[in-house]
Amino acid sequence: MEDERSETTQTCGVTRRVVLASGAGAAAASILPLEQRAQAQQQFARAETGQTVQVSANVNGRPVILEIDSRASLLDLLRERRELTGTKKGCDHGQCGACTVHLDGRPVSSCLTLAAKIDGRQVTTIEGLAEGADLHPMQQAFIDNDALQCGYCTPGQIMSAVACVTGGHATSPDAIREFMSGNICRCGAYVGILAAVQQAAKVMEG
Amino acid sequence: MPTQAFSEIARVDARDKVLGRAQYGADVKKPGMLYAMLVPATIAKGKVSALDVAPAMETPGVVQVLGIGDFPALRAEISYRGQPTALVVAETVEAAIEGAEAVTAVYETAPYIPLMTSPGAQRVDAEGFNAGDVDRAFQNAATIVEGIFETPTQHHNAMELFGTVAEWTDGRLTVYEGCQNLDAVKAALMKAFELSLDQIAVKSEQVGGGFGQKSPPKMQTFLVAHAARLIRRPVKLVTPRGQLFHIANYRPRSVHTIRLAASAEGRLQAIIYDVVQENIPDGGFRSTGYHEDIARLYAIENFRATAGDIHIDRQMPRHTRGTHPFPAGFALESVIDEMAYKLGKDPVELRLEHEAKNDIIAGQPLSPHFLNDCLREGASRFGWSRRLPEPGSMRLADGTLVGLGVACGIFGASMSASEATLRVRADGTTRMISSGHEMGQGILTAIANVIIQGLDINPDRLEVLLGDTTLGPQLATVGERGTASCVPTAAKAVEALRARFAELAGANPPAGNLHQQLARLKRPYIEVKVSELAPGQDASAIEAYRTGGRAGTGPDYPGFTSMSYIAQFVEIHIDATTRRIRMPRAVSIADVGRVVSPRTAKSQMYGGVVWGFSTALREESEVDPRFAGYLNDDLADYVMAVNADIGEVDVGLIDKPDPRINSVGVKGMGELVMLGTAPAIANAIYHATGKRLRKLPIRINDVL
Amino acid sequence: MRALSYTVAPSAEAAVARFAAAQGSARYIAGGTNLYDLMKLGIEHPAHLIDVSRIDGMDAIETDGDILRFGGRALMTDVAYTPVVRDQYPVLSESLLKAASQQLRNMATVGGNLLQRTRCMYFRNGAGSTSMVGVYPCNKREPGSGCSAIGGLDRTHAVLGTSEACTAVAPGDWPVALMAMDATIEMLGPEGPRNLPIAEFYRLPGDTPHREFNLHPGELVTAITVRKTPAGRASTYHKIRDRESYAFALASAAVALEMDGATVRTARIALGGVATTPWRSRAAEAIVTGSPLTPELALRAGRAAFADARGGQHNAFKIELGARVIADALIIAAERRA
Ligand SMILES: Cc1cc2nc3c(=O)[nH]c(=O)nc-3n(C[C@H](O)[C@H](O)[C@H](O)COP(=O)(O)OP(=O)(O)OC[C@H]3O[C@@H](n4cnc5c(N)ncnc54)[C@H](O)[C@@H]3O)c2cc1C
Ligand code: SF4
Ligand code: FES
Ligand code: FES
């Protein structure tokens, strides 16, 4: 490979060839000296790998255009290519709900959503829910009912909970429990979550 | 003197959490950061004879591959399936994964023992315990019940994965990861990389659930730190759930043989108890710990315990929420229930009649406790008096079988020496530097409440800091001792600060709150630094706290033993035809001493019922002995409770201080809160069906 | 997962043409809830993904004429909440709403659902980017490698339709309901359009468990149709699982009845969670047809459905459980008669 630079590093008594850059996708950003590289990698101008696709979407009300590895998930787009780490990874296989975001207003599991699929669509994450300094009524209800402990599942819970109310599913405790069952909470905050949805439903439905 | 009751405040970090702003290890992003992925061994035991990392190196985007021999932790000897053999570092997550998948290995396999029931598996006896004259008590017994109880291998499965970010700047290492014992991680990293104290920082601002899994140092931390140093760029690794099952620790399967003797008068006289668990040689989770809490639960004077381990070829088992008293308590609380039936007594009554006053292990009094209050309060809230004693006698109109069950739990109230620094500023802000880890249990809120209740400060501008080794020593947040250790220290800091202020302000303090008063006195701030010990500790405990030694003690202190208690009641419904098991209702009441943060404590109580439910009716890590890996290594096949599983839950706290354990009277609760649920469920299923189930988890096939 | 290309197909015809051009290395992706998952697990390795989830019109849900017609890329959520489906065909609606989670149902399509692959843990786990702890022998994953489930941890495996080569359960709920309702699958392939009754869509494992569907390479499911019937109203999808939600079936039953008072005129009974394909039980139907429905008769019908069942090491309980699920479902469906 042409653009590969090697050097030998001595660490922990082991000598190894360190490949600082390899392959076409990685080359440009990596070949720079360290300090410059850090600058070059400011924000989103980062190396992509694999075959890339261009995605242009609206994320939390802002246009986003980026070239991204076509294998990437929406979750890894948000967390690793944008500063949107509120959305969490709990399983990466659609089995926990921690990664729930809204796609065109509906909750989806971002770990099983190919990033490429958001082209031309609207994504809302937990960071995009509050308006200005005001919390969304559901966020307030989660605080009021202490519907969380470690908070790791919480962004996903809240995104589902909002849809539970806006979709008209907050009709009874059992209906809420069923709708909210796609979000596992290992801390077991389910009782508080039910109460929070009930409280917010009153506010949201006016 | 123990304080008065605390009023409720909102969880102090709730706002950040609902906004998605709370920072967990893997949320950290650094310029130029690379992504890593582990390559696990695909055999249970043996040797890697060849590891081909070349295809990974050729994968576009891959920057570096560490293989066997490149770091001490990457060993050719394989002692469990999933053991890391290589680490691939790349420009993107996708490339790291592709690279990791491209690594191939050739193995020499060795025979292995995957399960405690496998051929060749042998018991190694561990230390036992004896109190009183068990043999005589059994000879004189009028009624004996016995059973063999089994609890399964289970994984903690906190929602947060193991995420590590490591960065080196000018020879200084900073690590970000979810962790319950930062000081242990720090010490291990200092040793591995020969660093001095000022060259290392480990940060764990928020932990997305721990439950015991995040307390030992993780191999991945070293690998990622090593890779970051080698490549001179920050590196992040988020270990996938499937790999976590194989490398993180877990609750070992355990089998409990228990015999309980009662006299003709219906007094519980003696217990013979044996436990055996799966373990690895020199495993850090002792089989000798199982009897220690349950032997203190009731006034049963004669107790003989034996214990053993069966060595298997898997990764190390460790503490898991509820730790020893959960499996042991399942056995004890089931035989107590069975005894109640045999004696024709109400199970609540039988327990009330055996209130323990003495710790038969340490041979000293128990600190006053309120288990019986928990039982009475729970029975009343639950409506226990409506229970018809006969098994199978309660049904709904549609034929659904109804069972009501009760069980108790007990957990040692341990404590650790600790320090805190409290500073109140004239500018309206207050900063408390404490120690430990916020894992959702609410330790930040508890500390904040002590300060808010004790000082006239601006509550909205109070900052409580912990979970960062640059702040000072960070005590291990394990064995539910975090709050019980930090809160008395916070209370002492509050008192010291008030005293200091009184000194400063003299007889005529200016008007206003503390901040305003300081401003008027032209003082930018006042600060106090205090340390607090557990009963019986001397200054050496603070030294141990500062240097990462053993600073913890209890639950037996000089002259008394302190325990936390819980009583739980559940209603179980079993569908007439399909036998689907549901839990529409539960009541849980605990004695955790003084309740410092009522709101977060209540949340723990709710969460404990969910955990208990899930351990009882859902969770089991399944190992196919032919492969020795965890077959159900994901969150769909490892079944945990969801929202629809949980019915109405009512929780209560006695909120009476234990005046002997510390100045606030606070005991722990993090493990306790789940302890009664599983046996209460098994007892309720017996009540509904007449079938005594002695093996967890209980599933639909057990009641068909 | 290897690098791949991704394109969006504007029309069904374009999708089929692109698939043909890729010469076997392409896969259609709809919601991706199964395909992308299997790619992460290292089971599927497409070099080209053709996104069919934006094909114009292929999400239409038509309920006006004599048939219900669901576009192949219609979302599970949208079909489930379509008023006619919800009110007059509870069996269809419930089979969708008791599947997966609300998030996944907002992504997953009713066409993709037909083609999801088994959840057998030996098939799925132990390899791929997320686990990589060793691939278990599995004839579906690697034809000829053997079946680890037989003689292994087979609690969730099938008791009906099994072979010596594979006992994996067909996972979907919706296909079971469609089986009860005699649905038809509409497809478009390189050779043009084709319709197939759902009963002919699924293959028993036999010696070739890796071949699960009677779908030719490149064929696109464009729609699913169900002939309207009064049996839709007195229907239910009853599902028993290891937790109350967000889990695949241990045993399920789709039942639709036409009743004369208390007497069953016609019965349609299909099973899920217990068989290697969505499973119609004519034997159970025969038992209840023409008789007044009692709990005893319902249970007898349930038992008849499992007359040929074969349990393995840990799954024999499904024979009794499955029978009882049918019995319960029959009672629930009968209670819904107009
Ligand atoms: C955690 C979890 C739990 C689940 N629980 C359940 C459950 O309880 N019950 C249940 O039934 N399902 C369940 N599912 C499965 C889910 O319903 C399916 O994954 C989904 O229906 C598949 O639809 P899709 O559009 O996402 O298909 P994709 O994943 O996009 O595709 C699946 C397959 O179908 C092919 N394909 C897709 N569309 C077409 C088309 N129009 N024509 C031809 N081929 C096509 C693809 O090439 C691929 O091979 C669960 C899934 C997950 C991840
Ligand atoms: S049952 Fe089928 S899918 Fe499962 S291991 Fe056997 S062959 Fe593979
Ligand atoms: S991370 Fe997406 S569902 Fe778990
Ligand atoms: S709050 Fe910890 S997982 Fe839900």
Side-chain angles (χ1 to χ4, degrees), chain A residues 37-61:
Chain A
R37 185 190 306 147
Q39 281 164 15
Q41 300 227 338
Q42 276 297 322
Q43 293 277 306
F44 316 118
R46 52 165 303 120
E48 283 296 339
T49 52
Q51 296 186 40
T52 57
V53 286
Q54 182 161 356
V55 176
S56 105
N58 181 303
V59 179
N60 292 336

Side-chain angles (χ1 to χ4, degrees), chain B residues 416-434:
Chain B
S416 168
S418 75
E419 291 178 321
T421 307
L422 178 59
R423 173 182 288 203
V424 181
R425 303 188 186 93
D427 69 1
T429 62
T430 305
R431 187 191 67 191
M432 170 72 160
I433 297 180
S434 187

Side-chain angles (χ1 to χ4, degrees), chain C residues 157-175:
Chain C
H157 283 71
V159 294
L160 290 166
T162 58
S163 74
E164 297 298 312
C166 179
T167 63
V169 158
D173 295 303
W174 163 245

Side-chain angles (χ1 to χ4, degrees), chain C residues 66 68 84 87-91 180-181 226-236 255-260 265-268 333-334 336-338:
Chain C
D66 289 346
L68 305 169
V84 171
D87 300 338
Q88 290 168 38
Y89 297 85
V91 64
M181 301 311 285
V226 170
R227 185 155 295 283
K228 284 189 176 174
T229 156
R233 189 173 270 283
S235 78
T236 190
V255 168
L257 302 174
E258 288 174 278
M259 310 275 292
D260 286 328
R265 182 142 49 84
T266 69
R268 301 140 172 270
R336 288 181 178 167
R337 67 183 182 268

Side-chain angles (χ1 to χ4, degrees), chain B residues 546-667:
Chain B
R546 290 193 185 129
T547 54
R550 282 188 85 86
T553 178
D556 45 327
Y557 302 96
F560 71 99
T561 300
S562 180
M563 309 292 287
S564 295
Y565 298 85
I566 195 162
Q568 297 184 305
F569 296 76
V570 303
E571 178 165 339
I572 288 292
H573 288 181
I574 300 181
D575 281 5
T577 314
T578 60
R579 297 276 166 155
R580 182 166 63 122
I581 307 170
R582 280 172 298 160
M583 183 184 76
R585 218 156 60 84
V587 172
S588 176
I589 313 285
D591 163 21
V592 299
R594 173 61 79 213
V595 177
V596 183
S597 167
R599 189 182 286 189
T600 56
K602 231 172 116 179
S603 288
Q604 288 240 48
M605 292 288 284
Y606 288 129
V609 172
V610 175
W611 252 79
F613 171 94
S614 204
T615 52
L617 297 177
R618 300 285 180 263
E619 297 172 36
E620 173 167 24
S621 307
E622 296 170 42
V623 174
D624 183 327
R626 296 169 300 173
F627 308 107
Y630 297 95
L631 185 60
N632 58 338
D633 62 353
D634 67 23
L635 295 190
D637 298 318
Y638 185 90
V639 187
M640 305 196 290
V642 294
N643 205 319
D645 283 324
I646 304 302
E648 305 273 323
V649 183
D650 184 14
V651 303
L653 292 156
I654 300 296
D655 198 6
K656 288 189 184 154
D658 178 343
R660 304 183 73 174
I661 186 167
N662 54 48
S663 65
V664 181
V666 55
K667 306 186 274 189

Side-chain angles (χ1 to χ4, degrees), chain B residues 89-120:
Chain B
V89 185
E91 293 285 346
T92 62
V93 188
E94 296 74 30
I97 291 170
E98 185 184 2
E101 286 174 337
V103 174
T104 57
V106 180
Y107 298 99
E108 285 165 32
T109 59
Y112 57 89
I113 295 178
L115 297 172
M116 59 197 286
T117 48
S118 299

